[in-house]
Amino acid sequence: GENVEQHPSTLSVQEGDSAVIKCTYSDSASNYFPWYKQELGKGPQLIIDIRSNVGEKKDQRIAVTLNKTAKHFSLHITETQPEDSAVYFCAAMGGTSYGKLTFGQGTILTVHP
Amino acid sequence: ETGVTQSPTHLIKTRGQQVTLRCSSQSGHNTVSWYQQALGQGPQFIFQYYREEENGRGNFPPRFSGLQFPNYSSELNVNALELDDSALYLCASRREHLSYEQYFGPGTRLTVT
């Protein structure tokens, strides 16, 4: 089955800096890669996603890139703000496992004012 | 907020007991997935329901079972509770079985003592 590795496990940045979180996946048939933000006591919130026919996608301060050959994808947050502090999860879906998201272990992002 | 609701918010049970968790999908969504999130880890796929039938299952034993109702709401039932079942249980809905985007509810925190 699919396996997703996520790095780093913790990331600390100063307000205004950029943050990058990286994930690798194992199943070359995977074709959908969402990113979720989870705040304390809440469920995961979908913040951006990318499909395998696209190499990059941007939404304001957030961008995701995908390298299908290397089987890795990354989340980029620019001009970070304290309210960006949360746990971020990458996930992968596809192949024969339609609807089943396989998640990474999560990255705790702390943005210091 | 996604419009996915779950009840109860918190639950404490004793080992060996049975528990039922409930989920109401976002309006217009007909497919529901359930995930288990242990402390400090990413969510793990349990199973999904479409047209009131189980349609895909993760690596969970048969004592984890579910239902989906005609209004697309869903239940997760866990029999013979074990200490390791203590986790946050998340429900996610999506518009159609073939849709990609999944939207999560706030979760039910289950503690087994």
Side-chain angles (χ1 to χ4, degrees):
Chain A
E2 175 67 278
N3 183 53
V4 177
E5 298 286 337
Q6 182 173 345
H7 299 281
S9 56
T10 61
L11 181 58
S12 182
V13 300
Q14 290 297 126
E15 183 176 1
D17 287 350
S18 295
V20 180
I21 303 170
K22 298 181 179 182
C23 290
T24 60
Y25 62 98
S26 60
D27 186 353
S28 57
S30 290
N31 59 3
Y32 175 65
F33 307 91
W35 285 87
Y36 286 88
K37 174 185 181 182
Q38 188 172 27
E39 296 175 300
L40 201 61
K42 296 186 178 182
Q45 174 195 357
L46 178 65
I47 56 172
I48 197 169
D49 56 10
I50 192 167
R51 301 191 188 186
S52 60
N53 59 347
V54 175
E56 183 175 3
K57 183 177 179 180
K58 288 182 180 179
D59 183 4
Q60 299 182 1
R61 297 186 297 109
I62 294 174
V64 57
T65 58
L66 171 65
N67 183 326
K68 284 175 55 180
T69 303
K71 289 191 281 188
H72 67 69
F73 57 112
S74 300
L75 176 71
H76 303 253
I77 306 174
T78 58
E79 300 173 24
T80 53
Q81 302 167 1
E83 50 265 40
D84 294 329
S85 297
V87 182
Y88 290 80
F89 291 98
C90 62
M93 186 190 81
T96 58
S97 302
Y98 209 94
K100 174 186 175 183
L101 288 173
T102 300
F103 283 83
Q105 293 296 95
T107 296
I108 301 172
L109 174 63
T110 303
V111 181
H112 298 283
Chain B
E1 298 300 325
T2 62
V4 179
T5 61
Q6 292 186 243
S7 63
T9 305
H10 296 89
L11 203 53
I12 301 174
K13 289 286 188 178
T14 303
R15 189 173 51 183
Q17 286 187 316
Q18 177 265 344
V19 68
T20 297
L21 311 181
R22 295 178 175 83
C23 170
S24 290
S25 61
Q26 186 169 322
S27 178
H29 288 193
N30 67 14
T31 303
V32 173
S33 300
W34 286 92
Y35 291 81
Q36 180 194 67
Q37 185 178 23
L39 201 60
Q41 301 197 14
Q44 281 195 289
F45 176 78
I46 302 174
F47 45 53
Q48 66 181 353
Y49 276 81
Y50 171 62
R51 291 184 175 176
E52 301 177 46
E53 292 190 358
E54 185 179 301
N55 185 282
R57 188 177 185 95
N59 189 25
F60 280 82
R63 60 188 185 84
F64 286 78
S65 63
L67 287 172
Q68 185 181 34
F69 301 98
N71 66 354
Y72 308 129
S73 66
S74 178
E75 286 182 356
L76 164 65
N77 300 289
V78 187
N79 294 322
L81 284 167
E82 301 177 359
L83 296 179
D84 284 350
D85 295 333
S86 295
L88 181 68
Y89 288 86
L90 296 160
C91 165
S93 74
R94 60 188 197 272
R95 183 168 299 279
E96 296 285 346
H97 178 57
L98 295 181
S99 300
Y100 284 78
E101 296 83 359
Q102 296 189 31
Y103 299 94
F104 283 84
T108 294
R109 172 71 64 187
L110 173 64
T111 302
V112 182
T113 62

